[in-house]
Amino acid sequence: MLLKNNMMDIKSILVLLFCFSLANAQKKINFDEGWKFHFGHAANPDKDFNYSTATIYSKSGGAAKTAIDAKFVDTTWTNINLPHDWAVGLPFENSPSFDVESHGYKPVGGLYPQTSIGWYRKHFNVDKTDTGKRFEIQFDGIFRNATIWVNGFFVGNNFSGYVGKSYDITDYLLFDKENVLVVRVDATQYEGWFYEGAGIYRHVWLNTTNKVYIPEDGLFVHAAVNGKNAEVIIETEVGNKNFNSSNCSVYSYITDRNGKQIAKTSEQNLSLAVNQKQTVKQKLSISNAQLWSLEDPYLYKVIAVVKQGNQIIHTKKERFGVKTVRFDANQGFFLNGKHIKIQGTNNHQDHAGLGSALPDYLQYYRIRLLKGMGSNAYRASHNAPTPELLDACDSLGMLVLDEQRLLNSSPEYMDQFERLIRRDRNHASVFLWSIGNEEGWIQKTETGKKIAQTLLAKQKELDPTRTSTYAADMGNEFNGVNEVIPIRGFNYRQFGVADYHRDHPSQPLLGTEMGSTVTTRGIYEKDPIRADVPDQDITAPWWASKAEDWWKLAAENKYWLGGFVWTGFDYRGEPTPYKWPNISSHFGIMDVCGFPKNIYYYYKSWWTNEDVLHISPHWNWPEKVGKPIDVWVNTNADDVELFLNGKSLGKKQMPRNSHLQWEVIYEPGTLEAIAYKNGKKLSTKIETTGQASKVVLSPDRTTITANGKDADVINVSFVDAAGKEVPDANNMVYFTISGDAKIIGVGNGDPSSHEPDKCVDGAWQRSAFSGKCQVIIQAGKTSGSIKLEAKSNGLISGSTIIQSKQ
């Protein structure tokens, strides 16, 4: 027994020594905190810290009289933490420019030189014990055209606003004094035609490694299913930044989701010349492999290990899933051999109150909302998503169509495409790549075809396990990109799909962009002055379709793989069908806060097996007593009977993939629907309410992590004196918070609201729209109770307590 205890102690000591050795060998430090920010000026060098008049590229490290200079005094600059989107805090500007309009009327771009350049500075120290290590600064996303310096030395430029980039900064670091990292962000040029934000809106990391190391995206793992087992191929890239050749060995092992090791390779020796990179390919088998699926998104972990002698000098860990994917031109899409109709949504990356700078928690929040209505796929339109979005989809079980920004094969865009694929190819959720979207200038031409072939060849080189599509706003047309794309993507043109399938029966077909019904949550009459459209599936632009028009075709024809609705959430910019005062889109199945519109219940009816029975509109219409109201019922029941104040208005059979309507002469009271689904009784009702009497706060969760980064969404509603939720309340709400937390954004889902998303601390407020608004808080670093209180004049205040824990 004594021997056994001693052996356990020795084992524990070895584990501790291993962890200590590894901690000193490599570090990944989050660099989000402690930045300074100041606007520059695109047209006035005096207001741009002499950027274009001082000579900064003539000699290395020379940047005197500019904000690049390490000695520059930035004490008056604004203190910020990342992620940071400066555009979301700017006022709205009514501009005749289409580009300003499409970006949500925010004063960013070439017309606004005073708010389109942002300077960021961060002071930091490096541990002297890390002398001799390799250092890399990693930016996950900056909008846009970012130029980076360390201690006055130019490091690099990232042209893309969406794909991250890393830079080796080893040579420029100081160990005996403070270092200064400077980033100049130039957002004068747009990339998209939608709200894009501005600034360092994703995470930044400082990576410290041995000079023999695995690059950031240097581990690629993929699996092939063979019966109940899986063969896992692990490709580990190792580089040598020493000034002499170096020897090392590489091995890998796999753990289950709980960290239990289930397979391990032997060690493979490498000899690396100076600046050489080599890739080691190793194979492992998993017995009785558990497959990644929508219902059970099981994730394994692979850990690649680099050793020199007996010392571990670098490890790299990736999560991965085991699955099979098949696209059949006649039978549809199969995941793990099971036929699945792709029920997807397109989405941009902004959220109410936050712009494009979302805490990681919001990625999970949004994916859970989409899954709740039955969506099983997400198209990252039209750019590389943030890595945390893919993490959420991996963990929650959501397929992802990962998309390149432009159909272009120049060195710049090939580099962006390579960075995208290398970064994202280990994600279990990514089931398909997209090489571009609606490239009308070239998609039908020989030039477009050649560019597509070049991109497809690069995709197969970097990721032979997947294939690609292209989102074409073309009907039954074949010339150009469609000749070579493996999966034909349709943006709208849904009535051309059948003819295209007839003419090209061996090419699988996917609705990459479908629907585009425009609706304003809780509004039931068209109002061109306020820029509202009715909250029902009745209005779509000329180039698009209503939900029922496309989904019936996709649902009832096997050769449709399925499709992606434009869009899951409303987003800032691209106002349609109106312009000012409308500053957000109306396309969403949910609004910018994630509050469901009525069309949400149409999709949930046919995209889930849950019991759905939903009546709209609300029943507060004092001005319409005795007048007809158009009542819609969305359900997946077999039949529905509608009652007004206990009197039957008739029973109707429920057509598949459709909805029901009644014309009801309005009188206040209760409108009730009773339905039967496979013999099971369902019922729901809406009621006339009184005026709002009390504010109600509903947090998404009541416990958050006290790490300075975690966040929570608190939705605000109102009830009358009888406790009934008031659907048309528009009260102004004032928020106060106590405890170690802060409010970081507010919203209400109104596409024409010009209220600020960001307020001065102590003066946070937002009016309700159609009965709801939203506030987002972020944790501090101290455990304890956080109290959020919401007050509204003449109403009983609401409050909620959230616990923040380490």
Side-chain angles (χ1 to χ4, degrees):
M1 187 68 179
L2 181 61
L3 178 62
K4 183 177 179 181
N5 287 339
N6 287 338
M7 290 297 292
M8 289 177 66
D9 290 342
I10 292 169
K11 186 176 180 181
S12 299
I13 291 169
L14 289 173
V15 169
L16 289 172
L17 288 173
F18 167 80
C19 294
F20 178 77
S21 173
L22 187 58
N24 283 296
Q26 68 185 83
K27 301 174 186 176
K28 188 179 183 73
I29 301 171
N30 183 277
F31 243 36
D32 287 352
E33 296 183 0
W35 289 80
K36 296 280 191 174
F37 173 78
H38 202 291
F39 279 119
H41 201 290
N44 186 339
D46 291 338
K47 295 181 179 180
D48 201 30
F49 307 103
N50 301 317
Y51 176 71
S52 58
T53 54
T55 303
I56 59 173
Y57 293 110
S58 61
K59 300 289 184 180
S60 290
K65 299 180 181 179
T66 74
I68 300 161
D69 189 350
K71 302 188 195 73
F72 178 86
V73 178
D74 57 20
T75 53
T76 62
W77 287 24
T78 303
N79 295 316
I80 63 148
N81 292 331
L82 307 180
H84 178 244
D85 174 2
W86 81 66
V88 71
L90 296 175
F92 298 98
E93 297 274 350
N94 185 2
S95 170
S97 165
F98 169 77
D99 287 311
V100 176
E101 168 200 314
S102 69
H103 283 75
Y105 292 103
K106 286 293 186 177
V108 174
L111 296 176
Y112 302 97
Q114 71 279 10
T115 48
S116 296
I117 302 291
W119 286 87
Y120 294 84
R121 288 172 55 89
K122 180 176 174 65
H123 300 255
F124 65 101
N125 292 293
V126 181
D127 194 330
K128 290 182 179 180
T129 61
D130 288 331
T131 303
K133 296 291 194 297
R134 172 183 170 272
F135 294 86
E136 175 186 79
I137 192 74
Q138 174 187 333
F139 295 93
D140 286 347
I142 306 172
F143 195 88
R144 180 187 173 271
N145 195 9
T147 310
I148 297 104
W149 296 266
V150 171
N151 295 330
F153 288 89
F154 173 72
V155 172
N157 171 262
N158 187 17
F159 183 74
S160 170
Y162 296 101
V163 184
K165 199 167 186 177
S166 300
Y167 304 91
D168 190 321
I169 60 172
T170 306
D171 293 345
Y172 314 124
L173 291 185
L174 304 171
F175 293 89
D176 56 350
K177 62 175 65 175
E178 188 177 69
N179 296 275
V180 181
L181 172 62
V182 179
V183 184
R184 182 181 186 268
V185 182
D186 184 346
T188 55
Q189 181 58 258
Y190 305 116
E191 282 194 61
W193 49 98
F194 39 84
Y195 180 86
E196 300 181 273
I200 309 178
Y201 71 101
R202 294 179 182 170
H203 296 306
V204 178
W205 310 88
L206 180 65
N207 302 321
T208 306
T209 70
N210 191 284
K211 289 190 175 179
V212 175
Y213 66 101
I214 303 170
E216 183 61 27
D217 298 323
L219 178 59
F220 179 31
V221 54
H222 47 99
V225 176
N226 183 14
K228 292 184 178 181
N229 303 326
E231 182 180 70
V232 182
I233 299 174
I234 304 161
E235 301 181 35
T236 307
E237 183 181 37
V238 184
N240 175 29
K241 281 290 185 178
N242 284 310
F243 296 135
N244 51 270
S245 60
S246 299
N247 297 321
C248 65
S249 62
V250 179
Y251 70 90
S252 301
Y253 61 96
I254 295 172
T255 74
D256 63 15
R257 63 165 41 151
N258 298 315
K260 179 183 178 182
Q261 184 175 305
I262 56 176
K264 180 182 177 181
T265 71
S266 59
E267 291 189 26
Q268 183 170 334
N269 294 323
L270 279 182
S271 181
L272 296 166
V274 177
N275 289 327
Q276 185 183 15
K277 290 181 179 179
Q278 287 190 39
T279 298
V280 175
K281 184 178 287 189
Q282 299 170 308
K283 293 182 181 180
L284 286 174
S285 293
I286 300 176
S287 300
N288 297 313
Q290 191 158 343
L291 303 186
W292 184 94
S293 66
L294 302 173
E295 300 79 18
D296 182 13
Y298 191 93
L299 294 169
Y300 293 93
K301 297 184 184 76
V302 62
I303 296 91
V305 181
V306 180
K307 290 178 63 178
Q308 282 186 325
N310 293 321
Q311 183 179 8
I312 293 174
I313 58 173
H314 198 181
T315 67
K316 180 71 176 173
K317 179 169 66 176
E318 293 280 1
R319 300 190 306 173
F320 72 99
V322 177
K323 67 180 187 296
T324 65
V325 168
R326 181 165 67 91
F327 302 93
D328 188 283
N330 295 300
Q331 296 300 312
F333 173 69
F334 294 82
L335 179 63
N336 301 327
K338 176 184 176 182
H339 179 263
I340 291 173
K341 190 71 75 170
I342 294 170
Q343 299 168 173
T345 64
N346 289 272
N347 293 283
H348 289 310
Q349 60 182 2
D350 59 297
H351 188 90
L354 304 174
S356 295
L358 274 62
D360 296 349
Y361 149 78
L362 260 293
Q363 308 296 346
Y364 291 81
Y365 179 78
R366 287 161 63 90
I367 295 302
R368 283 192 282 109
L369 291 179
L370 291 169
K371 281 186 69 76
M373 74 171 192
S375 180
N376 58 23
Y378 184 108
R379 178 177 170 221
S381 45
H382 307 286
N383 49 261
T386 190
E388 290 72 29
L389 181 278
L390 298 180
D391 290 340
C393 292
D394 289 346
S395 297
L396 298 175
M398 176 74 76
L399 296 166
V400 175
L401 173 53
D402 208 341
E403 187 158 276
Q404 166 78 337
R405 177 69 284 278
L406 280 182
L407 185 74
N408 191 315
S409 56
S410 69
E412 169 63 34
Y413 285 100
M414 290 301 290
D415 180 57
Q416 290 185 25
F417 193 43
E418 180 166 347
R419 280 184 275 152
L420 172 70
I421 293 175
R422 285 175 60 89
R423 189 196 72 173
D424 295 349
R425 60 189 176 177
N426 290 323
H427 285 280
S429 56
V430 176
F431 79 117
L432 187 63
W433 302 105
S434 171
I435 63 171
N437 171 76
E438 293 186 5
E439 296 279 4
W441 298 107
I442 57 173
Q443 62 188 8
K444 301 179 185 180
T445 69
E446 188 68 18
T447 299
K449 175 182 173 181
K450 289 188 291 185
I451 293 172
Q453 288 174 310
T454 300
L455 288 166
L456 290 170
K458 176 58 69 173
Q459 181 254 295
K460 280 299 179 187
E461 172 196 338
L462 298 172
D463 181 16
T465 70
R466 297 179 179 89
T467 190
S468 290
T469 188
Y470 165 76
D473 52 337
M474 302 162 63
N476 186 15
E477 299 174 87
F478 189 62
N479 290 343
V481 177
N482 290 338
E483 297 179 58
V484 296
I485 199 71
I487 310 293
R488 167 65 210 273
F490 279 83
N491 280 14
Y492 314 105
R493 315 299 192 271
Q494 68 277 0
F495 297 118
V497 174
D499 290 342
Y500 189 93
H501 175 65
R502 178 199 64 210
D503 296 341
H504 309 283
S506 62
Q507 190 177 28
L509 310 174
L510 174 64
T512 40
E513 207 163 297
M514 290 285 140
S516 285
T517 302
V518 285
T519 58
T520 309
R521 180 180 59 81
I523 303 298
Y524 294 93
E525 292 183 352
K526 183 177 180 179
D527 187 343
I529 304 302
R530 255 198 51 85
D532 290 333
V533 282
D535 190 11
Q536 302 290 15
D537 187 23
I538 58 176
T539 310
W542 64 267
W543 38 262
S545 73
K546 296 180 292 182
E548 290 189 34
D549 291 339
W550 86 272
W551 179 245
K552 285 180 180 178
L553 295 172
E556 296 166 9
N557 291 285
K558 280 192 172 183
Y559 59 81
W560 278 71
L561 300 174
F564 294 83
V565 182
W566 190 266
T567 52
F569 298 92
D570 278 343
Y571 53 93
R572 179 66 52 77
E574 208 169 21
T576 308
Y578 303 111
K579 300 181 186 297
W580 185 271
N582 185 198
I583 47 83
S584 289
S585 82
H586 290 82
F587 294 117
I589 299 170
M590 292 175 275
D591 67 19
V592 291
C593 295
F595 297 134
K597 304 180 187 180
N598 288 317
I599 200 170
Y600 171 99
Y601 299 97
Y602 169 77
Y603 283 111
K604 186 167 184 174
S605 293
W606 309 116
W607 283 8
T608 75
N609 293 320
E610 297 179 33
D611 296 335
V612 179
L613 183 59
H614 176 75
I615 307 172
S616 58
H618 59 74
W619 212 238
N620 285 2
W621 302 103
E623 74 281 10
K624 292 191 176 184
V625 173
K627 297 179 181 178
I629 299 285
D630 191 21
V631 173
W632 288 47
V633 173
N634 288 112
T635 184
N636 49 18
D638 303 318
D639 55 57
V640 180
E641 188 171 7
L642 196 64
F643 297 84
L644 178 57
N645 294 327
K647 180 181 177 181
S648 175
L649 304 178
K651 179 185 289 188
K652 296 186 179 185
Q653 298 299 306
M654 182 66 241
R656 299 298 89 182
N657 301 306
S658 188
H659 72 281
L660 295 174
Q661 282 180 255
W662 280 261
E663 185 178 89
V664 179
I665 302 302
Y666 179 76
E667 62 180 60
T670 301
L671 190 64
E672 183 178 20
I674 295 177
Y676 286 88
K677 181 181 179 182
N678 298 323
K680 178 183 177 181
K681 182 180 178 181
L682 311 177
S683 65
T684 191
K685 63 183 179 180
I686 55 175
E687 298 178 279
T688 305
T689 74
Q691 294 294 311
S693 173
K694 181 181 179 180
V695 185
V696 177
L697 297 184
S698 302
D700 179 54
R701 50 194 183 148
T702 56
T703 302
I704 59 177
T705 304
N707 59 5
K709 295 181 179 297
D710 201 10
D712 201 3
V713 170
I714 297 93
N715 292 326
V716 183
S717 58
F718 303 82
V719 294
D720 65 9
K724 300 175 186 176
E725 186 169 319
V726 181
D728 53 351
N730 60 2
N731 307 67
M732 178 62 74
V733 185
Y734 305 92
F735 300 102
T736 56
I737 192 167
S738 60
D740 190 14
K742 62 182 178 180
I743 299 172
I744 58 173
V746 288
N748 62 12
D750 180 358
S752 295
S753 174
H754 296 174
E755 295 176 68
D757 296 289
K758 305 286 187 180
C759 302
V760 176
D761 284 343
W764 284 92
Q765 64 181 50
R766 191 69 178 219
S767 64
F769 176 70
S770 294
K772 296 183 183 298
C773 61
Q774 184 176 86
V775 57
I776 302 167
I777 69 168
Q778 189 165 48
K781 294 185 177 181
T782 305
S783 297
S785 295
I786 299 165
K787 182 177 182 180
L788 181 72
E789 189 170 11
K791 297 180 179 180
S792 186
N793 293 336
L795 276 60
I796 300 170
S797 299
S799 64
T800 187
I801 301 292
I802 297 158
Q803 297 299 325
S804 181
K805 297 183 178 180
Q806 297 283 356

